[in-house]
Amino acid sequence: QKEVEQNSGPLSVPEGAIASLNCTYSDRVSQSFFWYRQYSGKSPELIMSIYSNGDKEDGRFTAQLNKASQYVSLLIRDSQPSDSATYLCAVNNFNKFYFGSGTKLNVKP
Amino acid sequence: EADIYQTPRYLVIGTGKKITLECSQTMGHDKMYWYQQDPGMELHLIHYSYGVNSTEKGDLSSESTVSRIRTEHFPLTLESARPSHTSQYLCASGGQVNTEAFFGQGTRLTVV
């Protein structure tokens, strides 16, 4: 079983819509969770971190964590074509980072 | 802003050559990581370090080796490059326990 599972997509949404990206993780003791964005040919860049149950908002991005369900999600409001990228969910288990395979998001103008 | 640097950015090298990929960070982070990523594929952890003189192999078997003699420096070495080593190599570092990791710009390696 993989540590982090994501739907590979692609997920296509029209410009201005809400994009919803999901992730599940296998280790119940995981403490910290992250979303990274990776453009083609570039390295991952951190978008959001979340450590406790509930929602965390930062601009157009909202991360949601449900530890009971071992589920993490990322909502992108007012999606822009520049948001088109692969989104990686990551879990930090005692300083070993595990990444999901990523969900490719296409925002259509 | 994360200050983590990888050199070279691109490298094309012949089979059998020894290569070292450099990674340095100026944030004083204890934890450093090497990932391998093929185009369009997922990240695989190949090495990590929790501090000076501490190195561990990751989940993906790799013929490369690493060293951590100084906090800021975490080079990766391939003693004899092969075409199967062609990939992108990403270095990352992290500070406090269970906090985020920051990535360098990566080295795209091609072995011909």
Side-chain angles (χ1 to χ4, degrees), chain A residues 5-65:
Chain A
E5 299 271 8
Q6 290 182 259
N7 188 324
S8 61
L11 173 66
S12 291
V13 299
E15 184 174 354
I18 296 175
S20 177
L21 304 160
N22 305 311
C23 163
T24 57
Y25 60 95
S26 61
D27 193 338
R28 285 195 168 274
V29 302
S30 300
Q31 294 296 311
S32 49
F33 309 87
F34 309 92
W35 284 98
Y36 287 81
R37 178 176 60 198
Q38 186 175 28
Y39 293 111
S40 180
K42 304 293 187 182
S43 60
E45 57 178 322
L46 180 70
I47 299 174
M48 295 280 290
S49 58
I50 187 165
Y51 300 94
S52 54
N53 279 329
D55 295 0
K56 179 181 177 183
E57 187 174 317
D58 184 0
R60 296 186 295 113
F61 299 97
T62 298
Q64 299 173 317
L65 173 61

